[in-house]
Amino acid sequence: MDDDVFEDYDRELELALYREYRDVVSQFQYVIETERRFYLANDVSVVRHDTEHDFYFELTMTDVWVWDIYRADRFVKSVRVLTFKDVNIEELSRRDFQLPEELSLDGK
């Protein structure tokens, strides 16, 4: 097969993944980024473990969506990650859902 066919296929997979992310992000409270993966979760805890010469982080997440282009099912009940690398956790702002005025039931 031609390399362009593979590049087009990968590009389509990435676009589909981004669209899925855009559709589901509002269902989650946290964005978690590790050196290997990107997650959306509704609960996350981080524990720092100290060793004799170093430390590592243990992350436990529940109700998770995993940014992984090759997973058949990106929704996971729980995830546990051990890492010596940086971890970034951001709490997403909760946006109140508002119906467009044309769908409002208040009689306007």
Side-chain angles (χ1 to χ4, degrees), residues 71-83:
R71 290 179 76 96
D73 187 7
R74 286 179 270 281
F75 291 94
V76 182
K77 184 177 180 178
S78 65
V79 174
R80 181 174 170 246
V81 176
L82 302 175
T83 182

Side-chain angles (χ1 to χ4, degrees), residues 33-86:
E33 189 175 7
T34 69
E35 79 279 0
R36 299 193 65 204
R37 292 271 194 285
F38 179 86
Y39 304 90
L40 298 172
N42 281 321
D43 187 48
V44 60
S45 69
V46 179
V47 177
R48 177 182 161 146
H49 295 279
D50 292 305
T51 64
E52 186 176 339
H53 301 288
D54 210 350
F55 64 91
Y56 65 94
F57 297 106
E58 178 180 4
L59 285 82
T60 306
M61 298 171 271
T62 55
D63 189 18
V64 181
W65 182 86
V66 183
W67 181 289
D68 186 337
I69 202 166
Y70 299 108
R71 290 179 76 96
D73 187 7
R74 286 179 270 281
F75 291 94
V76 182
K77 184 177 180 178
S78 65
V79 174
R80 181 174 170 246
V81 176
L82 302 175
T83 182
F84 288 97
K85 305 283 184 171
D86 290 340

Side-chain angles (χ1 to χ4, degrees), residues 18-42:
Y18 171 74
R19 287 179 177 147
E20 182 178 326
Y21 164 81
R22 185 189 61 203
D23 292 343
V24 302
V25 68
S26 64
Q27 299 173 34
F28 295 93
Q29 189 169 353
Y30 298 97
V31 174
I32 302 95
E33 189 175 7
T34 69
E35 79 279 0
R36 299 193 65 204
R37 292 271 194 285
F38 179 86
Y39 304 90
L40 298 172
N42 281 321

